[in-house]
Every structure is written in C-alpha cells, then in structure tokens.
Amino acid sequence: MPTQPLSQKEIEDRLRELPGWSVDADRLTRTYRLGDHFAATALVVHVAQIQQELNHHSDLTLGYDTVSLAVNTHDAGDALTEKDFELADRVERIAPGHGAT
C-alpha cells in the first residue's frame, strides 16, 4: 500500500514540532552548522544509519562545516508524508549530540 501524502494542515502542524525545518519546493529541508568538517562528517554517517534503518533516504549534502537534508516521498508522488517527518524527527534528536545548531 503506497504512503499517503499529508494535507497542508498536517504539514504545518508537524513543522511546528520541528524548529529549523521548512518546506522548500515540496521537500522538507534543514541545514545544520557544526564545529568543523569532522563533526559534519560524523553527523552525515549517523544520518545515513538512520536512513538505512527507516529505509527512507534524503538528499544529504556535506559541506565543510554544514550538513543539509532535503526529503520527500517518491512513492507518494514526491509529496510529503509521515515518513519524511519521522526521518526529520530522528535526525533532530541526534544532531545536538554532534554539536549541530
């Protein structure tokens, strides 16, 4: 059974629970700033582990001291679904442990 897209109200309600996250061109996005490249790389590895666990993968961009994520659900017509917000919530919980702001 395909994943169902969230309504605009559901998206707005979920965004209130995820400060720093936003919707850009139908994708849930966030950029984290970290102390240095090593810390950013460690966060990328941790995010990749979460994505594997959830079997849901974002576009993940590593900069010198930044990590950016952009995600939507392809099998829901590139819409936002609960899967996207679950991934964002999991990343949000581990990011401070890497020094991310």
Side-chain angles (χ1 to χ4, degrees):
M1 181 171 169
T3 304
Q4 296 299 311
L6 296 173
S7 70
Q8 187 60 39
K9 176 159 181 8
E10 290 170 317
I11 291 168
E12 291 167 5
D13 289 346
R14 291 301 310 268
L15 277 174
R16 279 194 277 288
E17 300 168 10
L18 291 169
W21 288 82
S22 61
V23 175
D24 182 24
D26 297 327
R27 302 177 93 199
L28 187 59
T29 65
R30 169 90 197 248
T31 297
Y32 293 96
R33 182 160 304 277
L34 294 101
D36 58 25
H37 188 67
F38 188 80
T41 302
L43 178 59
V44 166
V45 171
H46 203 162
V47 170
Q49 178 184 9
I50 291 168
Q51 291 179 144
Q52 281 299 108
E53 290 171 10
L54 296 176
N55 192 28
H56 190 56
H57 302 85
S58 68
D59 287 340
L60 189 55
T61 305
L62 171 64
Y64 169 72
D65 62 352
T66 60
V67 173
S68 298
L69 291 91
V71 65
N72 59 18
T73 303
H74 302 296
D75 65 356
D78 292 330
L80 293 176
T81 68
E82 190 59 38
K83 290 169 67 172
D84 304 308
F85 284 93
E86 181 180 0
L87 174 60
D89 181 62
R90 293 270 308 268
V91 172
E92 194 65 19
R93 285 187 271 149
I94 59 103
H98 291 275
T101 59

